[in-house]
């Protein structure tokens, strides 16, 4: 073995040396870095090295010394707080385990995608609270105490006097925004809503909605339609939608939005219930009564609103046929996104 091979062998020996307990740290130091240690021994090899190679020799020995120093210092740190002679039950030299990185829930992903689309056409996020009073959830939205439309939504009330409740729709945030924000206003309000419903493949007691609201001077139904078209095209790559006349107390006229079922190409499947169309939300021109409830001059301002269920959009987007899957936190399901 020439001097190079000997130093290489030493390098290898240092890297293989297993420091498994506190005592080994000192043993390692004595063996390699001590005054009679192997590094000292290696330095004496200089006698065999021809003058022109001594620089290389110096560099190599230095590298090995650094390697030993580092290993010694690192082990010292690891064993600093352990008892004399105690053993660690893991392999210090094993490569680091990177664990499992979490992912975003499909509802979060869908919500973010929807927000991103609406932000591109000038909507900003306005988030209202989940606990609201009767005024924000019903009365101001043109649903007075005895209005039959209240039956459309089964409510979780929080107080005996039915004053406070868990919002049944994000439309409650519309009112809060109209009361507190300057006009013109162009917002989306994503969030969680609650309904006292029996849990099934298509209904849950808590789900998510995105509400949109645009109030300005001279807003038309054509603006609303264009906005919905834009969303459908960006979200699903298809603007084959239809607006079906409908009724909501807070909009007039009102419509329900259907998208042509792209899962079966409108041939009829379980998702579209064999109709070829899937409902994705409701919309309409904000009823002036709602604006008046928020002290807005209806001679000057008007606007449109829409509301969509995020779960419904996610089910369509990812072709999921059971709503309950979103809440079960089953890794086999979640890992697919
Ligand atoms: N709030 C309605 C619901 O939860 C959805 C909705 C319909 C919102 C029409 C709107 C709208 O803003 O204009 O069923």
């Amino acid at each position: 073995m020439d001097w190079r091979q000997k130093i290489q062998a030493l390098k290898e020996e240092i890297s293989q040396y297993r420091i498994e307990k506190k005592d080994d740290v000192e043993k390692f130091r004595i063996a390699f870095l001590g005054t009679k240690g192997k590094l000292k021994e290696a330095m004496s090899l200089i006698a065999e090295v021809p003058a022109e190679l001594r620089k290389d020799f110096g560099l190599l020995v230095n590298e090995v010394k650094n390697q030993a120093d580092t290993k010694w210092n690192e082990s010292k740190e690891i064993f600093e707080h352990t008892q004399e002679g105690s053993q660690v039950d893991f392999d210090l030299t094993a490569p680091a385990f990177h664990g499992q990185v979490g992912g975003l829930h499909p509802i979060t992903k869908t919500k973010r995608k929807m927000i991103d689309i609406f932000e591109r056409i000038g909507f900003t996020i306005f988030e209202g609270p989940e606990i609201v009073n009767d005024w924000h959830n019903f009365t101001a939205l043109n649903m007075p105490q005895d209005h039959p439309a209240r039956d459309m939504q089964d409510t979780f009330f929080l107080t005996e006097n039915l004053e406070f409740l868990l919002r049944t729709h994000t439309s409650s945030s519309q009112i809060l925004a109209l009361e507190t924000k300057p006009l013109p206003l162009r917002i989306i309000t994503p969030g969680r809503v609650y309904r006292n419903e029996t849990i099934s493949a298509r209904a849950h007691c808590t789900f998510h909605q995105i509400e949109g609201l645009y109030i300005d001077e001279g807003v038309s139904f054509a603006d609303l339609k264009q906005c919905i078209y834009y969303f459908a095209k960006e979200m699903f790559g298809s603007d084959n939608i239809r607006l079906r006349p409908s009724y909501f107390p807070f909009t007039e006229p009102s419509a329900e939005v259907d998208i042509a079922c792209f899962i079966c190409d409108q041939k009829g499947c379980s998702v579209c219930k064999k109709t070829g169309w899937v409902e994705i939300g409701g919309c309409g021109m904000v009823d002036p009564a709602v604006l008046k409830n928020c002290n807005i001059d209806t001679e000057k301002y008007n606007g449109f609103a829409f509301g969509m269920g995020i779960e419904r959009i996610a089910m369509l987007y990812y072709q999921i046929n059971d709503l309950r899957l979103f809440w079960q936190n089953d890794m086999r399901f979640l890992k697919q996104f």
Side-chain angles (χ1 to χ4, degrees), residues 2-39:
D2 68 5
W3 60 271
R4 257 186 224 280
Q5 288 164 328
K6 284 183 192 156
I7 294 177
Q8 273 311 329
L10 176 60
K11 209 172 158 186
E12 193 54 30
E13 195 183 338
I14 291 172
S15 100
Q16 295 297 325
Y17 195 98
R18 286 178 69 99
I19 301 180
E20 290 171 333
K21 48 187 187 304
K22 197 167 186 174
D23 306 346
D24 295 342
V25 181
E26 184 57 8
K27 276 189 197 149
F28 175 84
R29 191 194 65 78
I30 294 167
F32 295 97
L33 297 159
T35 40
K36 290 186 188 131
K38 296 196 177 184
L39 261 153

Side-chain angles (χ1 to χ4, degrees), residues 60-162:
L60 195 59
V61 171
N62 222 3
E63 189 188 316
V64 180
K65 178 164 184 332
N66 285 339
Q67 178 201 4
D69 274 338
T70 309
K71 183 158 177 154
W72 179 55
N73 281 320
E74 282 178 0
S75 332
K76 240 186 357 188
E77 220 162 277
I78 293 169
F79 287 100
E80 205 169 28
H81 303 294
T82 55
Q83 293 294 316
E84 205 71 38
S86 73
Q87 193 100 20
V88 284
D89 60 357
F90 50 84
D91 178 1
L92 290 169
T93 56
F97 170 60
H98 289 292
Q100 236 177 16
V101 185
L104 291 176
H105 192 278
I107 293 299
T108 307
K109 286 183 117 166
T110 309
K111 180 172 95 175
R112 290 193 183 174
K113 193 171 161 70
M114 292 172 77
I115 289 173
D116 190 50
I117 293 170
F118 287 116
E119 278 183 339
R120 267 181 262 151
I121 47 172
F123 286 86
T124 52
I125 297 180
F126 176 88
E127 280 178 312
E130 291 177 15
I131 295 178
V132 293
N133 60 13
D134 178 283
W135 171 257
H136 286 112
N137 198 76
F138 295 123
T139 309
L141 284 161
N142 209 20
M143 282 191 258
Q145 280 299 337
D146 49 0
H147 197 290
R150 286 193 180 212
D151 285 351
M152 286 158 73
Q153 299 175 353
D154 291 308
T155 311
F156 286 116
F157 288 98
L158 299 172
T159 51
E160 291 284 338
N161 64 2
L162 312 185

Side-chain angles (χ1 to χ4, degrees), residues 153 169 171 174 195 209 211 248 250-251 282-284 305-307:
Q153 299 175 353
H169 52 181
S171 303
Q174 272 192 37
R195 293 206 195 157
Q209 289 186 330
E211 189 88 5
F248 296 102
F250 31 90
T251 43
C283 65
F306 56 85

